Amino acid sequence: MLVLLPPSEGKAPSGRGAPLKPESLSLPGLGEARRAVLDELVELCSADEEKARTVLGLSEGLRGEVAKNAGLRTAGARPAGEIYTGVLYDALDLASLDAAAKRRAGRSLLVFSGLWGAVGVGDKIPSYRCSMGVKLPGLGALGAYWRAPMASVMPEAAGDGLVLDLRSSAYAAAWKPKGEVAGRTATVRVLHAQLVDGVEKRSVVSHFNKATKGRIVRSLLTTGARPEGPAELVEALRDLGHVVEAEAPTKPGRPWALDVVVREIH
């Protein structure tokens, strides 16, 4: 099983250890593309703080993120699973997993990134600020920039098993499974169901959407569930207590669409 995750907007501070070693990152086929983004981002943030802040879409209060990007090559690196924070990662709580579940996480979780393309949770990276929605002056919109490099490495990374896609739309744009891979891919939407004047109405709630996705991944890791495909994933999630409604693709080359329905927000 391969699980595709979005990053978090906010990130923990860089570590105090050795700086980034680009050649050590997962998906080495992305090396050249990563170098190009890193080079332009560091140059931009080193040369003109105001321009960099505009390009990155940073408020005045986040001005310090520009200096952080300028120092990416020398900043200490720590596992990506520690760098990414926020609602999804709080619910996933990688640090508290037992040893077996941590090994499963290291093998199966990929975090998509505007700067790195995608990294494993064990890959050591510095803290940075560069979303997939950024348009760099030289390379252009990163969502579009990453499509070709990702298309060259992701089919192999997906192997022959289930692909569980939990990315937000901005990060999903960087790679869309096609063909046979798409047929064993499941996308997940979390819906909040509540009664309004006796009628059940459903809505997407961003905070709880992220928290539920984190809990889903954690439960799969801790139980050691190994669904072979989307249909088996539906059964596994139901066994774990989730209310799941599934829609199989009506045409070849399209993913399964899963709705996880929740009635209590916490």
Side-chain angles (χ1 to χ4, degrees):
M1 177 174 64
L2 181 67
V3 182
L4 310 181
L5 298 174
S8 58
E9 192 71 17
K11 299 171 183 68
S14 295
R16 295 182 178 180
L20 171 73
K21 296 180 179 179
E23 68 279 2
S24 71
L25 300 180
S26 301
L27 306 177
L30 297 178
E32 183 176 346
R34 285 170 175 151
R35 282 191 294 274
V37 180
L38 180 62
D39 286 349
E40 183 168 356
L41 183 62
V42 170
E43 181 179 355
L44 170 70
C45 292
S46 300
D48 188 330
E49 185 178 90
E50 285 304 315
K51 180 179 180 180
R53 194 161 66 86
T54 299
V55 169
L56 296 173
L58 300 176
S59 66
E60 175 66 30
L62 293 174
R63 180 180 293 273
E65 300 291 283
V66 175
K68 182 165 69 175
N69 283 347
L72 282 172
R73 290 197 179 90
T74 56
R78 59 196 293 195
E82 298 177 10
I83 289 289
Y84 295 115
T85 59
V87 177
L88 188 154
Y89 292 91
D90 286 347
L92 175 53
D93 196 6
L94 287 167
S96 70
L97 294 175
D98 63 31
K102 285 180 179 178
R103 287 194 294 270
R104 295 183 195 109
R107 293 193 299 265
S108 61
L109 306 188
L110 274 184
V111 184
F112 272 60
S113 161
L115 174 54
W116 314 114
V119 292
V121 292
D123 290 349
K124 292 185 177 182
I125 59 173
S127 185
Y128 68 96
R129 190 76 173 222
C130 184
S131 73
M132 193 66 80
V134 165
K135 184 176 182 180
L136 291 175
L139 296 177
L142 291 176
Y145 169 81
W146 281 111
R147 286 174 194 158
M150 298 303 292
S152 71
V153 302
M154 284 305 299
E156 181 179 354
D160 56 5
L162 168 70
V163 178
L164 174 54
D165 190 351
L166 302 177
R167 298 172 296 166
S168 55
S169 57
Y171 291 89
W175 180 66
K176 294 183 179 181
K178 297 181 179 180
E180 183 268 337
V181 178
R184 48 187 168 84
T185 296
T187 62
V188 173
R189 181 175 63 166
V190 180
L191 299 178
H192 177 218
Q194 54 185 329
L195 289 177
V196 179
D197 297 328
V199 178
E200 183 178 88
K201 294 189 176 182
R202 296 178 175 183
S203 60
V204 176
V205 182
S206 178
H207 180 283
F208 195 67
N209 169 60
K210 295 174 183 177
T212 301
K213 287 179 177 179
R215 294 187 189 108
I216 285 172
V217 177
R218 182 178 177 86
S219 62
L220 291 171
L221 293 172
T222 56
T223 60
R226 299 180 64 182
E228 295 182 359
E232 292 80 6
L233 173 65
V234 172
E235 293 306 311
L237 293 178
R238 287 173 176 165
D239 288 344
L240 290 167
H242 297 285
V243 177
V244 183
E245 297 175 357
E247 182 179 340
T250 56
K251 295 181 180 180
R254 294 185 179 180
W256 284 57
L258 274 56
D259 283 344
V260 175
V261 183
V262 296
R263 290 181 170 80
E264 294 182 3
I265 295 181
H266 58 86

